[in-house]
Amino acid sequence: MQFSNEEWFTKAKAVTPGGVDSPVRAFKGVGGTPRFMQSASGATLTDVEGKKYIDYCMSWGPLMFGHRDAEIEAAIIDALAKGWTYGTASPYSVLLAELIVKEIPCVEKIRFVNSGTEAVMSALRVARGATKRTKIVKFDGCYHGHVDSLLIRAGSGLAEMASPDSAGVTPAQAGDTIVAPLDDEQALETIFKTHGNEIAALIIEPLPANNGLLPQRPEFLKFLREVTTRYGALLIFDEVMSGFRIGFGGMAEETGITPDLITYGKIIGGGFPVGAYGGRKELMDLVAPQGPVYQAGTLSGNPVAMTAGITMLKKLLNEKPFANLQKATESLGKTVEKIAAKYAPYPITVQSHGSKFWMICGETKGTVRHINQIPPEHKERFAGIFHGLLKRGFYLAPSGFEVGFMATVHTSEINAAFATAFEDVLKEQQ
Ligand SMILES: *Cc1c(COP(=O)(O)O)cnc(C)c1O
């Protein structure tokens, strides 16, 4: 494509901040030049220099069946041929909503927006509207999109920055947010004792996966339901990444916990920009035009995006790939650990849940459940492994704090090739 990755990066930096549309893509966490991808198919990304990579980032999660899945592609093209935005009521979003409401018991009504960020922002507004309270409890290391009031100790791109908080967030916005540590019932008990009657909602990624993968104890998640109910606050599950990925019904289904509100994104749009928030009927009926909580969107319910989402979700219901993906992910994790035990001068463990995995480079004691347990050397060591793999044609998310995603296109042959490349990288580093 005429220019090299390096040249595209120079061009991009001249006209956009950092040369990217979203921070982590700039490779700041691993160093080097980001690869500018020009096309993709199945498990493979192709950059502007024609080099191919096996992709374990999968556009940060949405692509359960890989790039350009034939069924989804055909549905998109069909929808596109009829028109690509109507700005009216239309059946496409109704069909997607019906499908979700039928399959997910805690979602009685749902509203579509254009990103996970918007979904979270809107859910918080509903929670505040419903409870007439102002404060929100979030967790250290949980990311909920770039909502002002939640850009505090949020992980994702912020995990790589000097300050865990974003500039440009006013003290007033930050002041309504209470940050709690993960995996700590006592801390929450204290927070609710002090602020209980001011807290509108507690929001959590029930499977935190934006600051490494930090699985929470089921009892801890159950405690969140109990303490919020006790104090009349709402429980919001941010399932933008876990919903439809670790299982169709995400963590709500897996844990049997019923949140009051739930947010979706990533997978729900089949690779198009879609987010959604939903929950109990009486809460969702607070949303305009039914109720007083305003929320709107010029391109919301886009017919092409809705079609991609419907096709993705139907395919997930039909093919139920979740158990096989989990098996493949666990098996790859074990293989990586075994190879590391042979060659790496330090321990490497892989934490996985469903089709998400995270490699930890350094000494750990038991399951890593909160950010303080991440070894300080992890970031630099991961960068070395990342570049070794990239050179050999394997693309992981370019940050030690982001997770990997397995899709159905990652065949056992592909995963075996990954293991061989990984072994090669460690041998080279010796
Ligand atoms: C990705 C993500 C978001 C933000 O979604 P965008 O579509 O990037 O705005 C919110 N919450 C969680 C848990 C996410 O993983």
Side-chain angles (χ1 to χ4, degrees), residues 115-117 143-145 205 210 238 240-241 266:
S115 68
T117 298
Y143 178 68
H144 303 289
E205 290 179 73
N210 278 288
D238 181 354
V240 168
M241 199 197 279
K266 300 193 167 102

Side-chain angles (χ1 to χ4, degrees), residues 5-36:
N5 286 300
E6 194 64 57
E7 286 164 336
W8 275 112
F9 197 33
T10 305
K11 284 160 68 63
K13 281 190 285 194
V15 289
T16 71
V20 285
D21 306 300
S22 193
V24 183
R25 299 179 197 179
F27 276 38
K28 278 209 146 178
V30 290
T33 306
R35 301 306 190 263
F36 283 65

Side-chain angles (χ1 to χ4, degrees), residues 408-429:
T408 57
V409 286
H410 293 110
T411 58
S412 47
E413 290 79 22
I414 286 178
N415 290 334
F418 175 87
T420 305
F422 179 72
E423 183 160 351
D424 228 35
V425 172
L426 290 184
K427 275 189 201 162
E428 186 184 68
Q429 284 180 0

Side-chain angles (χ1 to χ4, degrees), residues 230-306:
R230 181 151 39 97
Y231 283 93
L234 302 186
L235 176 63
I236 305 174
F237 270 10
D238 181 354
E239 300 231 46
V240 168
M241 199 197 279
S242 51
F244 315 109
R245 175 160 271 284
I246 60 152
F248 195 87
M251 287 298 284
E253 178 180 70
E254 189 180 299
T255 60
I257 296 169
T258 305
D260 300 290
L261 292 168
I262 195 160
T263 55
Y264 294 120
K266 300 193 167 102
I267 299 102
I268 202 176
F272 279 75
V274 180
Y277 62 107
R280 285 213 315 276
K281 189 168 167 300
E282 70 265 28
L283 291 172
M284 292 307 292
D285 278 341
L286 293 172
V287 177
Q290 185 87 19
V293 176
Y294 195 71
Q295 184 271 307
T298 303
L299 298 174
S300 292
N302 175 274
V304 181
M306 293 293 109

Side-chain angles (χ1 to χ4, degrees), residues 378-423:
H378 164 71
K379 180 181 162 168
E380 204 184 309
R381 288 169 175 171
F382 175 82
I385 292 174
F386 170 85
H387 278 291
L389 286 167
L390 191 71
K391 196 167 83 180
R392 289 164 177 81
F394 292 88
Y395 191 88
L396 292 176
S399 160
F401 302 99
E402 304 283 354
V403 299
F405 297 96
M406 190 78 78
T408 57
V409 286
H410 293 110
T411 58
S412 47
E413 290 79 22
I414 286 178
N415 290 334
F418 175 87
T420 305
F422 179 72
E423 183 160 351

